[in-house]
Amino acid sequence: MNILYFTNEYKSNFTPPCGGIGTFIKVISDEIVKNNDHEVIIVFLSNVQKIIFDNKKKIIFVKKTPSTLLKKISKFLLPKNLFFKVYNNIERLYLALQLKKIVKHNNISIVEAYDYLAYFKYFNLLKIPIVVRCHGSASMLKEHFGYSSINNMIVNYEKEVFSNAKNVLSVSNYSKEININYFTSAKIKTIYNGIDTELFKSIKDISIREYSIYYFGTLSNHKGFLELLNIFKIIHSNNSKATLNFIGRGKKLFLETLQLEDYKKIKQSIFCLLYTSPSPRDGLL
């Protein structure tokens, strides 16, 4: 089977720094091609068009915009609401037509796309099964995490597109419930992400820091940074020995937030090891 992943993130030396989507696609695609039973094509949203290879996988860089000049002219001439609707549809149709050629040329059997901004709107033109994985939509960021800067037009657009999505995956039941609240007509199935059981094993001879909570990953409000701090306030009020430990990226947000009056009482019980670039996994383990 030939599988296509459509993404704006991919973890490699030749793509920009990425988050969870890029890491997930890198890990799962490496496993898929390991035994040469399947082929993986990754279509990567970019400002350039090129093809490179990474560990048996073909990475096809595609532009999402057919013409930057057309976009500028349209934005100048059309009212904001009309421009948003018209040009978003133009971009997504353009992407679908590019993918249609790639699907045919590479004999693709199935496509997986991410949910954010609903770029998959016209993927039904591919005439093969399409799977949408819920990594985190604009609707969730705005309505669940309070990202007020996200335009309501984007939220409404996602809801319109999701109403026609047939195969939608979530990585947890919690995520599934949240997405059903926003996209009521979407049928969502939970499939948990796997882990490398050879890499992540229990270490027997190791000292344990009692009452310690650890967070690994990028610190950001849409990942629940403030929620975790507020939960820890409650824990700390019941157990002053408890500590909260952050390992990842987000130094600026960390320092600014801990200066707030709300967190001064727990500040001495919070520790961090923060990086300006992705942290080395081997060093952490």
Side-chain angles (χ1 to χ4, degrees):
M1 179 185 288
N2 292 353
I3 303 165
L4 187 151
Y5 283 95
F6 173 77
T7 179
N8 65 340
E9 291 185 14
Y10 181 71
K11 187 177 182 180
S12 72
N13 295 327
F14 46 80
T15 49
C18 70
I21 298 176
T23 302
F24 166 79
I25 292 176
K26 168 69 175 175
V27 172
I28 195 170
S29 60
D30 279 348
E31 289 298 314
I32 290 172
V33 302
K34 183 180 289 185
N35 297 322
N36 298 315
D37 295 326
H38 306 286
E39 291 187 16
V40 171
I41 308 294
I42 294 170
V43 174
F44 183 81
L45 274 183
S46 175
N47 295 322
V48 298
Q49 288 186 285
K50 61 181 179 180
I51 298 175
I52 58 178
F53 289 86
D54 177 46
N55 187 25
K56 305 178 186 178
K57 295 167 291 186
K58 182 190 290 186
I59 319 293
I60 303 175
F61 289 67
V62 298
K63 292 182 177 181
K64 70 175 182 179
T65 302
S67 168
T68 53
L69 179 60
L70 175 62
K71 185 174 184 177
K72 289 178 180 178
I73 293 173
S74 302
K75 194 171 185 178
F76 177 75
L77 294 176
L78 298 175
K80 187 176 181 179
N81 286 5
L82 184 59
F83 165 77
F84 179 87
K85 186 171 184 179
V86 169
Y87 205 81
N88 267 298
N89 285 328
I90 290 174
E91 277 191 343
R92 283 147 182 75
L93 180 58
Y94 175 69
L95 281 172
L97 294 175
Q98 289 186 89
L99 256 67
K100 190 173 183 179
K101 294 177 182 178
I102 294 170
V103 163
K104 183 177 180 180
H105 181 72
N106 295 278
N107 194 28
I108 300 296
S109 304
I110 189 169
V111 172
E112 178 173 305
Y114 63 100
D115 53 347
Y116 186 68
L117 300 182
Y119 280 110
F120 58 89
K121 180 173 185 179
Y122 294 107
F123 283 13
N124 61 310
L125 297 175
L126 307 181
K127 305 299 183 183
I128 59 173
I130 308 297
V131 175
V132 179
R133 188 179 294 269
C134 295
H135 290 282
S137 64
S139 302
M140 180 184 288
L141 292 178
K142 182 177 179 65
E143 299 184 16
H144 191 71
F145 291 105
Y147 268 46
S148 57
S149 60
I150 293 177
N151 196 305
N152 283 327
M153 291 186 290
I154 295 175
V155 173
N156 293 334
Y157 189 83
E158 280 187 344
K159 290 180 178 180
E160 175 193 339
V161 176
F162 260 89
S163 66
N164 297 314
K166 294 182 179 179
N167 305 304
V168 183
L169 298 182
S170 178
V171 298
S172 69
N173 286 330
Y174 175 70
S175 173
K176 174 182 175 179
E177 291 171 6
I178 292 174
N179 280 285
I180 287 176
N181 286 337
Y182 302 142
F183 313 118
T184 52
S185 58
K187 296 180 180 179
I188 303 175
K189 183 175 182 178
T190 298
I191 298 181
Y192 296 99
N193 288 342
I195 62 169
D196 186 340
T197 54
E198 291 300 314
L199 178 65
F200 296 100
K201 291 182 176 180
S202 297
I203 302 174
K204 295 181 180 179
D205 299 324
I206 189 171
S207 60
I208 298 175
R209 284 181 64 181
E210 291 187 328
Y211 317 120
S212 296
I213 301 168
Y214 285 84
Y215 173 93
F216 294 85
T218 301
L219 274 60
S220 65
N221 289 332
H222 77 265
K223 289 181 181 291
F225 176 55
L226 291 178
E227 283 82 355
L228 181 53
L229 287 179
N230 290 327
I231 290 169
F232 182 69
K233 281 175 63 178
I234 299 172
I235 294 172
H236 193 266
S237 67
N238 291 299
N239 185 349
S240 60
K241 294 181 180 180
T243 63
L244 179 59
N245 305 269
F246 292 99
I247 300 176
R249 288 183 290 175
K251 185 175 181 179
K252 185 174 183 292
L253 175 65
F254 179 85
L255 294 176
E256 289 177 351
T257 305
L258 287 195
Q259 295 303 315
L260 299 177
E261 188 68 32
D262 286 350
Y263 307 112
K264 284 188 176 180
K265 289 183 179 180
I266 60 172
K267 187 176 178 180
Q268 299 303 317
S269 298
I270 299 177
F271 305 92
C272 69
L273 178 60
L274 298 176
Y275 297 85
T276 55
S277 59
S279 54
R281 184 177 65 181
D282 293 342
L284 296 178
L285 295 176

